[in-house]
Amino acid sequence: MYKNPGDNRNEIILADVRHTAVLIGDSQSQPDGSWPRAALGSIGYKVYTVGRGGTGFVAATSEAGNYIDALQRGDWVLPYGAPPLIVLQGGGNDAARQASDEQISSNANRLISALRKRYPLAKIAIIGTLAKGANAGGGRRTEVDTLLGTVAAKAGATFFSVGDWITKYRVEGDLVDGVHLNAAGHAKLGAVLGADMAAAGLRLAPDNAD
């Protein structure tokens, strides 16, 4: 751990931060083999994950605040240095708790602004809210995915819409509780997301990895 004198925040020293993607997410990102982690690994990154299950852009738990509050309060710790890519994933808990569009957009914009100030050289990508399709019961989760796409577009962040992926990629049978995937489901969607990230130009460049 390192106390950064520039902003007086605790930061963690990573051995290889310049080849590391920072993933801020909820329980979709937490398992070691999660689909967002698998995707990032497939395009060349080591992955440092923060965030907690049950949290989101607005949603919080007794252990951790929502993403922007957790960052500001130090509920979780970001790396020292200059990671090349910051990925935000979430929205499902916000949808479940009926957070408003205004609340989600405001907090997402605050988070993006804080991260850009902290890591001015990093690319920022947003993974939306995993859901069934709008015509297959996606409901508020699909709506939040669309909303996050609008936030990303206005902020100039790369966005990956996943608000119909449960239906589109036929992983409903891989859900263990209607929301979370088993290992097979994580592997399937990790492969899809990794290909999409590579197509979007987010693969770690070889000349950055000596």
Side-chain angles (χ1 to χ4, degrees), residues 36 39-40 43 85 87 125 127 160 192-203:
L40 290 165
I43 58 171
L85 178 64
V87 179
I127 302 168
F160 300 96
V192 175
L193 181 60
D196 285 356
M197 286 182 161
L202 294 183
R203 186 181 296 279

Side-chain angles (χ1 to χ4, degrees), residues 98-118:
Q98 296 300 312
S100 70
D101 286 5
E102 183 180 3
Q103 289 173 312
I104 295 169
S105 297
S106 175
N107 280 11
N109 285 324
R110 289 171 59 209
L111 179 63
I112 292 167
S113 177
L115 291 168
R116 283 201 163 127
K117 182 177 181 180
R118 193 155 177 175

